[in-house]
Amino acid sequence: MTSPRFLVSHALPEPGMSMLAEAGSVEVLEVSPDSTELGRLCRSGRFDVLIAHLGDDLTAGTLEGTALKGVSLYSAGVNNVDLDTASRSGVLVANTPDVLTDATADTAILLMLAASRRCVEADRYLRDGYFRGWSPDLMLGRNIAGATLGLAGFGRIARATARRALGFGMHVQYCPRPPTDDPSSGPEHGDLEGRVTEVSWRELVTTSDVLSLHVPLAPATRHMINTSIFEAMPTGAVLVNTARGALVDEAALVEALRAGSIAAAGLDVYENEPALTPGLVELPNTVLLPHIGSATHTVRGEMARLCAANAIEMARGELPATAVNPDAWKRSPLAMEIAAADPRLLRRGSSRA
């Protein structure tokens, strides 16, 4: 068996790079590739697995005709990958879920507090020399305790956010599959049973003091937060987004914040990242973070470890536990070889050569 060959679009934190180097040969790109260059490299036959991140364009044009065995994503999200094309080509795609749940939930709470209590605005006020001492009406914000938190989506991060919000004395409600009213099909509430309430999307929008987004980006969810939603939200509401930027129509958000349709917004992700919609930065009622939801030493290191482990398994023809399109493994040459030798192995979902 030849040594695995890895193409890395952006160097991973440790222990990721050491793991890859120990397992095989590694080429790290010096600059971010555009889709044309990335597609050329994927079709070159020089690499077994691409280690990529959310900024890499892995659409159909990039993956068509690829010679890769797999794509290992240094992220939980997979919306930058054309999974249909990858699966048709027998290319496994794996991500790093679960690892960043708590860190991202912490960031959601951070944004709620900072936006509600006008922390960035107050910090700038002091640094610019305007502070002249305490006064009764200086930088009045909004209470978190007793406020209603609306969670758009109810996956792992939303549930972790709910637990934290309950600790702050918030009332928590959620819509599991916005912008539809399809009921939740996930696990039971567990420790949240009786402490959170499922409501319709319309009720969530119109009755939440804080609306926090926790859904994947898909055609149905792109711009799910738009002018009509801002008009339906309470005037004093706060929008928080730690999920995907394009869930929000940022131009509509700028107008809503300017007009006072909502009170404030706390964002860690952006529609055209890293570019920001004109007017967003100048607004005093925004808290803007540079996509740092998972940015702790512990989390990024564990993401790198899992990402590298996924890449090594795919290079060896094995099926990672976090594969998002496991059926693609059945189309791989190794799986076909296994099926020819003993079809029962493939039916059992064997992931080992």
Side-chain angles (χ1 to χ4, degrees):
M1 180 178 177
T2 60
S3 176
R5 302 161 299 171
F6 303 105
L7 174 64
V8 183
S9 68
H10 294 75
L12 299 176
E14 290 298 339
M17 297 307 296
S18 296
M19 291 172 62
L20 294 173
E22 185 176 346
S25 62
V26 182
E27 181 174 328
V28 182
L29 299 179
E30 294 183 0
V31 296
S32 298
D34 59 21
S35 58
T36 300
E37 175 63 10
L38 194 55
R40 184 189 69 78
L41 290 167
C42 291
R43 290 187 289 271
S44 69
R46 293 166 49 202
F47 307 103
D48 297 305
V49 177
L50 168 67
I51 291 85
H53 75 116
L54 276 174
D56 294 323
D57 183 1
L58 295 167
T59 52
T62 305
L63 292 174
E64 203 70 57
T66 183
L68 296 172
K69 292 180 181 178
V71 173
S72 183
L73 291 168
Y74 182 62
S75 68
V78 297
N79 54 278
N80 62 317
V81 183
D82 188 313
L83 291 175
D84 289 339
T85 300
S87 297
R88 284 197 307 270
S89 304
V91 176
L92 277 168
V93 178
N95 63 344
T96 58
D98 299 332
V99 179
L100 46 70
T101 297
D102 286 332
T104 306
D106 288 347
T107 303
I109 295 294
L110 166 67
L111 289 168
M112 290 178 206
L113 288 167
S116 297
R117 294 299 302 272
R118 302 171 65 183
C119 286
V120 171
E121 188 181 356
D123 179 88
R124 185 178 300 118
Y125 178 88
L126 186 145
R127 291 176 189 273
D128 289 346
Y130 294 109
F131 182 51
R132 296 293 181 268
W134 181 90
S135 65
D137 58 353
L138 179 63
M139 290 290 167
L140 299 182
R142 293 162 181 80
N143 286 342
I144 286 293
T148 297
L149 169 62
L151 298 168
F154 204 56
R156 290 183 296 268
I157 296 173
R159 291 167 188 260
T161 303
R163 295 184 185 96
R164 287 156 172 76
L166 289 166
F168 279 97
M170 300 185 79
H171 307 293
V172 180
Q173 57 187 14
Y174 71 94
C175 177
R177 297 177 180 274
T180 71
D181 288 329
D182 295 342
S184 175
S185 60
E188 296 299 320
H189 289 158
D191 63 313
L192 293 174
E193 190 68 44
R195 305 170 70 197
V196 297
T197 304
E198 182 172 341
V199 298
S200 69
W201 174 231
R202 181 70 182 179
E203 184 174 351
L204 193 83
V205 167
T206 58
T207 62
S208 296
D209 299 303
V210 179
L211 180 62
S212 187
L213 308 184
H214 302 277
V215 295
L217 179 62
T221 59
R222 182 178 292 275
H223 282 192
M224 60 181 275
I225 307 298
N226 49 41
T227 298
S228 64
I229 297 298
F230 291 126
E231 291 174 348
M233 292 172 67
T235 303
V238 173
L239 175 71
V240 170
N241 189 8
T242 56
R244 288 292 174 260
L247 299 175
V248 179
D249 181 341
E250 274 185 15
L253 172 61
V254 170
E255 291 307 311
L257 290 167
R258 281 175 175 165
S261 299
I262 64 172
L267 309 176
D268 187 44
V269 289
Y270 305 92
E271 184 175 356
N272 298 301
E273 196 170 309
L276 301 183
T277 296
L280 195 60
V281 170
E282 292 76 23
L283 289 166
N285 50 347
T286 58
V287 179
L288 309 175
L289 302 180
H291 204 147
I292 59 169
S294 63
T296 71
H297 294 291
T298 301
V299 170
R300 292 286 173 87
E302 179 57 19
M303 287 174 65
R305 186 205 63 78
L306 179 56
C307 180
N310 287 341
I312 292 166
E313 287 185 307
M314 289 189 284
R316 293 172 176 169
E318 301 169 358
L319 180 65
T322 63
V324 296
N325 61 339
D327 285 347
W329 188 79
K330 297 178 182 179
R331 299 184 179 90
S332 69
L334 179 59
M336 292 179 182
E337 182 181 330
I338 291 172
D342 188 347
R344 291 172 299 175
L345 292 175
L346 196 59
R347 284 198 296 271
R348 286 202 300 267
S350 171
S351 65
R352 304 292 173 186

